[in-house]
Amino acid sequence: MNIRKAVIPVAGWGTRSLPATKNIPKEMLPIYNKPVVQYIVEEAIGAGLEDVVFITNRDKKIIEDHFDYNTQLEVVLERAGKTDMLKEVRAVAEMANIISVRQKRALGLGHAVLCAKDIVRYDDAFAVMLGDDLMFGSNNGIQQLLEVARLERKAVIGVMEVPLEEVKRYGIISGKEISPGVYKVDSLVEKPEIQKAPSRLAIIGRYVLTPYIFNYLENQTPGHGGEIQLTDALQGLADNQGLLAVKIRGKRFDAGNWAEFLAANIYFGLQDPSLHEELEQRLKALMSFGMN
Ligand code: G1P
């Protein structure tokens, strides 16, 4: 299967992260020393994908700029002899081939993916990665889906078990486990009430889709929240071409949730040996300060 592109929708408002995101895209908020979106692009590249397709809007130009050269900055760093930092900023520019498509109206995630149609329609399949879902640790999330997609030659979505009280925050699937951690999806429902959830298997923002999805997206009527939902269109794939779900191994966090976002900052900070000791001491001091 020829799978080279990662579609990353970045046109959302980021209302959950206001006021920080009043004038900065939520994808550019830093987690330790990198913006959120860089973690997603690194995951895509780490899994062997080459092209990144941002589904963007008029306020998100800064995201594309992050993955481009900044010649002025490079001159400053070169003159200052800061070669390590120079290497690092250049590496970000060279990380991926960037393609941008405007989502001119915010009609939902399904609509955002439909905007990529002309770029990916001739590929066997393509990845979709959502910027709010970040993975901790050494397990590459999208890689786990790509492996199954290539083996089974089918579309695959990533799922994780969530507590029952959280099902209304996710797309929820029902299906039959055909091998350990791999399900044949029967039905999907976007953000169900607890009583209507067919399981606790929640869609995490990682998908490997075949271009058939566009047939369903093009005819998709608005669903939950009045938006064109990707989850609803996936039902078409499940019914006609077959859709698999893979339980993603690893820890994931939601960058739009402040507690998880702050914890992630600390996690990635602690991974840096030059910071570890001091950060640990400061955290301990903060904790005891809070208790007095
Ligand atoms: C989107 C999808 C949902 C999925 C979630 C994962 O929802 O519509 O099915 O479970 O991402 O983060 P959103 O969080 O954008 O509302």
Side-chain angles (χ1 to χ4, degrees):
M1 259 185 155
N2 168 26
I3 315 176
R4 297 181 41 193
K5 302 188 181 86
V7 173
I8 307 182
V10 294
W13 272 106
T15 45
R16 287 194 295 162
S17 307
L18 282 167
T21 48
K22 190 177 164 199
N23 278 296
I24 300 172
K26 62 176 175 173
E27 296 79 8
M28 291 304 290
L29 294 179
I31 293 197
Y32 178 36
N33 59 358
K34 295 187 262 189
V36 166
V37 67
Q38 191 175 328
Y39 289 88
I40 304 281
V41 171
E42 284 176 357
E43 182 184 325
I45 301 308
L49 300 170
E50 292 164 19
D51 304 325
V52 166
V53 184
F54 286 129
I55 310 299
T56 179
N57 70 22
R58 57 170 60 240
D59 298 321
K60 305 277 183 150
K61 201 178 150 291
I62 190 176
I63 299 176
E64 295 152 55
D65 291 348
H66 183 69
F67 295 96
D68 198 349
Y69 293 104
N70 182 337
T71 328
Q72 266 179 314
L73 173 65
E74 286 180 24
V75 169
V76 169
L77 292 174
E78 198 151 21
R79 283 200 190 131
K82 299 194 169 171
T83 34
D84 285 353
M85 197 44 77
L86 179 62
K87 253 194 220 155
E88 204 160 323
V89 297
R90 271 194 190 143
V92 182
E94 285 160 5
M95 197 169 277
N97 180 30
I98 303 289
I99 302 161
S100 290
V101 184
R102 285 281 180 108
Q103 183 183 14
K104 296 181 187 169
R105 292 203 288 157
L107 300 179
L109 176 60
H111 176 254
V113 173
L114 183 55
C115 292
K117 181 181 170 189
D118 289 343
I119 315 287
V120 298
R121 65 202 289 194
Y122 298 117
D123 295 6
D124 295 335
F126 57 96
V128 174
M129 302 171 73
L130 305 189
D132 278 346
D133 292 289
L134 293 185
M135 307 290 299
F136 279 116
S138 53
N139 285 305
N140 182 312
I142 198 67
Q143 172 87 52
Q144 298 173 48
L145 270 58
L146 287 167
E147 280 164 15
V148 177
R150 290 194 172 111
L151 200 69
E152 305 287 343
R153 309 190 67 79
K154 282 204 168 55
V156 181
I157 59 177
V159 293
M160 273 187 182
E161 234 161 57
V162 297
L164 198 56
E165 59 276 17
E166 287 180 18
V167 290
K168 57 178 179 299
R169 284 170 35 189
Y170 298 94
I172 302 292
I173 67 147
S174 75
K176 188 171 165 284
E177 192 163 11
I178 52 170
S179 60
V182 181
Y183 299 80
K184 182 185 169 300
V185 178
D186 296 323
S187 67
L188 311 94
V189 44
E190 179 69 6
K191 305 200 171 82
E193 292 303 323
I194 292 181
Q195 315 80 272
K196 292 199 178 137
S199 77
R200 291 194 292 117
L201 287 174
I203 305 172
I204 297 309
R206 298 290 182 273
Y207 311 76
V208 175
L209 303 177
T210 51
Y212 284 114
I213 191 69
F214 299 122
N215 301 346
Y216 308 111
L217 284 172
E218 268 164 348
N219 298 305
Q220 194 58 60
T221 49
H224 185 89
E227 297 189 339
I228 311 280
Q229 295 291 350
L230 179 58
T231 304
D232 297 340
L234 287 169
Q235 188 66 54
L237 273 188
D239 291 341
N240 300 297
Q241 285 77 29
L243 176 66
L244 301 175
V246 168
K247 231 189 211 179
I248 295 190
R249 292 179 308 276
K251 173 99 182 82
R252 156 262 179 196
F253 73 91
D254 174 5
N257 172 311
W258 280 124
E260 293 189 33
F261 176 86
L262 294 170
N265 264 283
I266 294 167
Y267 172 86
F268 284 105
L270 286 171
Q271 303 305 303
D272 182 340
S274 71
L275 215 68
H276 187 99
E277 207 181 315
E278 186 185 343
L279 182 55
E280 199 173 66
Q281 274 168 14
R282 286 184 182 274
L283 286 171
K284 277 187 192 145
L286 265 179
M287 296 297 279
S288 55
F289 177 76
M291 279 184 271
N292 291 323

